[in-house]
Amino acid sequence: QVQLVESGGGLVQAGGSLRLSCVASGSIFSSINAMAWYRQAPGKQRELAAHITGVGSTTYADPVKGRFTISRDNAKNVVYLQMNSLKPEDTAVYYCFADIQLRSGVRRVYWGQGTQVTVSS
């Protein structure tokens, strides 16, 4: 079994900051390739917010560029999303994503359960 567990969501005023964390756990995977944060606002489709490769290259969606920073700690199997200068339109459920290489040789993607971020105006 592989689990992704997110934490760090909550309610914050516009202009504030939050830091999301996602820990991957399980005994059946050998390595983690790309990791990412997606978000889904009410009534909208899930969209990519930020992506980081296994070697640390990052990409960001235009709405979050310059405000969000994705990083990872490969030793701890953790991915972070530092969110600064938050806006009400950042309100969404944020989901962790991981592309994982299993010990069996199979490569699979996993999702976390989501963490709510609410930004008040």
Side-chain angles (χ1 to χ4, degrees):
Q1 283 281 43
V2 176
Q3 280 191 314
L4 301 181
V5 179
E6 300 118 331
S7 61
L11 174 64
V12 64
Q13 287 189 331
S17 298
L18 283 174
R19 188 194 196 204
L20 305 183
S21 301
C22 172
V23 181
S25 64
S27 60
I28 66 170
F29 70 86
S30 60
S31 64
I32 304 176
N33 302 309
M35 302 186 82
W37 288 95
Y38 284 73
R39 65 185 187 179
Q40 187 167 17
K44 295 188 177 181
Q45 289 189 327
R46 191 175 297 188
E47 63 178 13
L48 176 69
H51 176 276
I52 185 167
T53 68
V55 295
S57 297
T58 59
T59 56
Y60 297 92
D62 286 343
V64 309
K65 279 181 182 176
R67 300 186 298 120
F68 290 11
T69 302
I70 188 170
S71 61
R72 62 190 288 172
D73 183 335
N74 290 334
K76 297 180 179 179
N77 297 324
V78 178
V79 63
Y80 304 100
L81 186 67
Q82 178 65 45
M83 305 185 293
N84 298 328
S85 302
L86 282 161
K87 304 175 181 180
E89 51 263 43
D90 294 318
T91 294
V93 178
Y94 284 71
Y95 295 92
C96 177
F97 163 96
D99 175 359
I100 293 179
Q101 190 73 41
L102 303 179
R103 296 186 189 280
S104 64
V106 173
R107 185 171 172 175
R108 288 185 179 169
V109 298
Y110 292 87
W111 293 89
Q113 80 286 355
T115 186
Q116 177 70 46
V117 171
T118 302
V119 184
S120 62
S121 57

